[in-house]
Amino acid sequence: YSYESNHSALSDDGSYLVYEYDYDTIHLLDLTTKQLTIIKDVSSDENVLGIAHHNEFIIYGNTDTLIKASLDGSIIKKYPLPIATDDVINCVSISAKNNYLAAGTYNGDVCLADLDTPINKSNPSLLKPANKSLHTQTVNAISFSQYEKYFLSCVEEGNAQVWDIKKKDLFQTINNGAPIVACAFAND
C-alpha cells in the first residue's frame, strides 16, 4: 500500500505531529507516547489540502474552506475563503498567539482570517496589495511572525512576500530567483 502525505505540522510544544494521510485522513501522532490517532476521516470531496496544529485544536483546509477542529476531529468553526471557484487551498498556517489563520492557494491567492472577528464578507479577507504585483504561481508555505505583526508567503516562482497583518497589505517582496517551498520567521 502506498500513500502520499504532503502536509504536516508540529504542535507548539513539540509533543504532537499532525499530518494528512493519503489526502483524506488526518492523523495525530503523540510523540511522547507514540500513540497514533485518526483525527478526521474526510470524504473524498473534502481532501485535506493544508494543515496546522495548536496544542488544543487543528486547522485544515479543503477546497475553499479553512476548518478549525478539536483534537477528536469535531468541527468547531468553518471559515469559507473568498477565492475563485477554480482555485483550491495549498497551505495553511495559524499565528503564534492563535489570533489569525492564513491560507495560500494553487493560483497564488493569499487569504487572512481574524479569529476574534465574526465571519462576514470581509473576514476572511482575500489580500490584494494596492499597485503591487501578486503571486502568480502556487503559494507553497505561509509563516507568521512571533508577535503577529507580519506573515510571510512564498511561491514556486521564487518570491517571498511579507504582509502587514493590521493593514492587510503587502509590506515587502523578496526575490529569490528560484522556487521557494518553505518559509519561517526567526523568533526574536
Side-chain angles (χ1 to χ4, degrees):
Y1 179 74
S2 66
Y3 70 92
E4 189 169 333
S5 179
N6 291 324
H7 301 93
S8 62
L10 194 62
S11 64
D12 298 339
D13 65 3
S15 62
Y16 290 95
L17 174 67
V18 62
Y19 60 93
E20 81 173 278
Y21 182 82
D22 205 23
Y23 289 111
D24 61 359
T25 305
I26 297 173
H27 286 183
L28 179 70
L29 177 62
D30 183 325
L31 298 172
T32 307
T33 65
K34 310 278 192 283
Q35 180 178 354
L36 180 66
T37 305
I38 296 175
I39 297 297
K40 185 73 177 167
D41 218 352
V42 294
S43 66
S44 60
D45 64 338
E46 289 193 355
N47 290 339
V48 177
L49 299 170
I51 197 160
H53 184 281
H54 176 265
N55 292 338
E56 298 173 9
F57 56 85
I58 60 172
I59 301 294
Y60 64 93
N62 62 20
T63 307
D64 61 357
T65 304
L66 290 177
I67 299 165
K68 180 179 179 181
S70 65
L71 294 182
D72 67 3
S74 53
I75 294 173
I76 298 170
K77 190 178 259 187
K78 291 184 176 185
Y79 299 87
L81 299 181
I83 61 176
T85 56
D86 65 340
D87 200 1
V88 294
I89 297 168
N90 184 49
C91 58
V92 299
S93 184
I94 187 165
S95 64
K97 296 179 183 179
N98 307 311
N99 294 320
Y100 298 97
L101 297 175
T105 73
Y106 280 97
N107 289 348
D109 285 336
V110 177
C111 297
L112 179 68
D114 182 338
L115 298 181
D116 295 329
T117 302
I119 297 169
N120 57 44
K121 66 179 180 179
S122 63
N123 185 43
S125 302
L126 179 62
L127 301 184
K128 299 246 184 217
N131 301 323
K132 296 176 183 131
S133 64
L134 293 169
H135 292 313
T136 58
Q137 293 183 356
T138 301
V139 178
N140 287 325
I142 291 178
S143 178
F144 283 90
S145 64
Q146 180 180 8
Y147 298 109
E148 298 183 339
K149 184 173 182 178
Y150 302 106
F151 75 94
L152 179 66
S153 60
C154 65
V155 295
E156 290 183 19
E157 64 198 4
N159 293 328
Q161 293 185 332
V162 181
W163 299 87
D164 184 307
I165 292 174
K166 297 292 182 205
K167 294 179 181 176
K168 295 184 180 178
D169 198 11
L170 185 62
F171 176 73
Q172 181 179 5
T173 298
I174 303 161
N175 295 313
N176 184 48
I180 304 173
V181 296
C183 61
F185 272 95
N187 291 336
D188 297 336

